Amino acid sequence: ATSRLVAIVPQKEETEQDSDGDESDEVGVYVQTKPPGFLLIPLGYEDDIRAVPGSDDVADEAMVDAAEAIIRNQHIDFNQVSFENPALKTFLNYLESVAP
């Protein structure tokens, strides 16, 4: 493992009132939708930051409309089972090797 300089951004807990349909509760029950914690954003080193050549180019309206049409009409069939988890595969291979 290596060290990395990161920015730590606090993340506030988000809750919403539980709507289980029971109206008799005087005190509302809240369900956590996002846990509190910290977001770690890796920061670049000084030599990682550089000027991007040609950054003055701006897309015209026709190019933006064409890109939006492509994205809007894109249909990707994603099946998470088709991607292997190498760490899990290594662990399962180890379990098979030590099993009696």
Side-chain angles (χ1 to χ4, degrees):
T2 61
S3 300
R4 185 70 195 231
L5 188 62
V6 296
I8 300 175
V9 180
Q11 178 177 315
K12 188 176 182 180
E13 178 183 28
E14 292 183 16
T15 58
E16 61 184 32
Q17 192 163 8
D18 188 19
S19 58
D20 60 358
D22 189 8
E23 300 284 331
S24 64
D25 291 335
E26 298 230 355
V27 177
V29 176
Y30 288 88
V31 177
Q32 184 182 56
T33 57
K34 225 181 236 186
F38 293 100
L39 300 174
L40 300 177
I41 302 171
L43 300 175
Y45 296 105
E46 185 177 5
D47 58 344
D48 291 340
I49 301 171
R50 59 182 171 80
V52 179
S55 62
D56 296 334
D57 297 334
V58 177
D60 60 355
E61 196 65 33
M63 291 178 80
V64 172
D65 292 340
E68 286 177 352
I70 289 172
I71 292 170
R72 198 175 303 113
N73 293 323
Q74 210 172 32
H75 299 287
I76 299 173
D77 293 329
F78 176 74
N79 184 1
Q80 64 188 17
V81 178
S82 63
F83 295 95
E84 294 183 4
N85 181 343
L88 183 60
K89 189 170 186 166
T90 302
F91 176 70
L92 292 176
N93 287 338
Y94 169 74
L95 282 180
E96 286 180 5
S97 70
V98 298

